[in-house]
Amino acid sequence: MVGFGPGKVILLGEHGVVYGEPALAAPLSIGVTATALPAERCRVVSPKGLSAPHRRALEEAFARAALLTGAPKVQIGLESELPVSMGLGSSGAIAVALSRALLAASPLPAKKRPHELEVALAMEQVFHGTPSGVDHTTSAAGVPVLFQKGKVRPLTAKKPLDVLVALLGDRPSTKATVGGLRERQAKWPQRYRRQFKEIGLLVREGAAAIEAGELESLGDLMNLNQGLLAGLQLSSDRIDQMVRRLRGLGAHGAKLTGAGGDGGAIIGLFTDASAAVRTLTREGVRCFSSRLAG
Ligand code: PMV
């Protein structure tokens, strides 16, 4: 039994989504595959090269998911094409892939089986504490979504959405970056509430732009969102440099994606990203393009 969970990019709205605003996210074509084989007891085999803290988190998350799905007698192996801790939703993809494989093998009667989102959320809570849920919800949806805590609206893109994803390298954990922002907003709640509301407005306009096929407008919204993220101290020199580079290479818009802070992944929205991927690859930048819809 095999379960697949795609990675994701947040096109607009990270962080605001933690405070109840909407976010716009879409699945990548690459992700995590979980393969279940019959075994004596329910267990997960950690992928090679996983650090000790990540392995412990995976085992704890898996134990919760196993409990929810009736602990089927399978051993589950994981294969991931996603870089870890880059903002591309690798933990959400693991959670979705594992919940799909566990549910496919579950001994529980169909009526008693939980929904895959419930199982995946239980795992995400181990990985991230109090996640908004945007990562695993987008992974499970498999199409671009407008997400707001507890609600998800699938979007139909009028034109293909091509992004270039540039990987800058290690970044602080999502927990640490979200925690730092939480401290600042607790000091000045009204001021921060205004910024989150503005991000939410960009997201709603972005959903309309996707449905109308207005790539130039969507790119402009991404640029404005990057400005707000930088104002919230979630950007850095190397993020800003790559954002400018992608705009210089013809992106309609570019921004960090995910928690940010420093490093991680940067996205640029292109009509056709292939020339920019070739140029950056020649310069030694780790990058790839992905069609998010259309
Ligand atoms: O873990 P990341 O980098 O994909 O960030 C998730 C997006 C945040 O809005 C920063 C956190 C959340 O829980 O939504």
Side-chain angles (χ1 to χ4, degrees), residues 190-209:
Q190 286 184 353
R191 184 183 302 169
Y192 277 75
R193 170 60 46 202
R194 285 201 302 273
Q195 314 308 315
F196 298 140
K197 276 208 160 23
E198 182 56 33
I199 291 177
L201 291 173
L202 299 180
V203 169
R204 289 194 182 88
E205 285 181 41

Side-chain angles (χ1 to χ4, degrees), residues 2 54-55 72 121 140 149 153 158 171 212 221 227 248 255 268:
V2 175
H54 278 135
R55 203 174 50 242
L121 175 63
K149 265 186 187 166
R153 178 156 81 81
K158 192 163 177 195
R171 56 162 212 177
L221 291 162
K255 63 183 273 292

Side-chain angles (χ1 to χ4, degrees), residues 16 22 25 41 61 96 100 104 121 156 160 168 172 209 211 224 294:
R41 64 183 178 89
V96 169
R100 287 181 170 168
L121 175 63
T156 306
L168 294 187
E211 292 183 316
L224 289 168

Side-chain angles (χ1 to χ4, degrees), residues 83-206:
V84 179
S85 300
M86 284 276 172
L88 300 181
S90 68
S91 67
I94 287 176
V96 169
L98 279 177
S99 78
R100 287 181 170 168
L102 280 166
L103 284 166
S106 174
L108 299 176
K111 272 193 188 152
K112 294 223 160 136
R113 261 176 244 163
H115 193 275
E116 62 179 14
L117 285 175
E118 189 192 326
V119 182
L121 175 63
M123 281 187 268
E124 270 288 79
Q125 283 167 339
V126 176
F127 296 134
H128 283 315
T130 50
S132 66
V134 65
D135 283 19
H136 75 277
T137 306
T138 308
S139 179
V143 291
V145 293
L146 181 65
F147 172 89
Q148 196 165 11
K149 265 186 187 166
K151 283 183 284 177
V152 56
R153 178 156 81 81
L155 298 171
T156 306
K158 192 163 177 195
K159 283 203 185 140
L161 291 178
D162 277 333
V163 291
L164 181 152
V165 181
L167 303 173
L168 294 187
D170 287 350
R171 56 162 212 177
S173 72
T174 299
K175 228 180 210 171
T177 308
V178 168
L181 180 60
R182 190 171 289 285
E183 279 173 23
R184 296 193 286 285
Q185 74 85 37
K187 265 194 200 160
W188 302 287
Q190 286 184 353
R191 184 183 302 169
Y192 277 75
R193 170 60 46 202
R194 285 201 302 273
Q195 314 308 315
F196 298 140
K197 276 208 160 23
E198 182 56 33
I199 291 177
L201 291 173
L202 299 180
V203 169
R204 289 194 182 88
E205 285 181 41

Side-chain angles (χ1 to χ4, degrees), residues 232-250:
L232 293 168
Q233 299 185 55
L234 298 163
S235 196
S236 69
D237 284 351
R238 57 180 176 151
I239 292 178
D240 294 344
Q241 266 169 29
M242 182 53 71
V243 163
R244 274 198 297 275
R245 184 85 180 95
L246 294 185
R247 289 176 192 155
L249 287 168

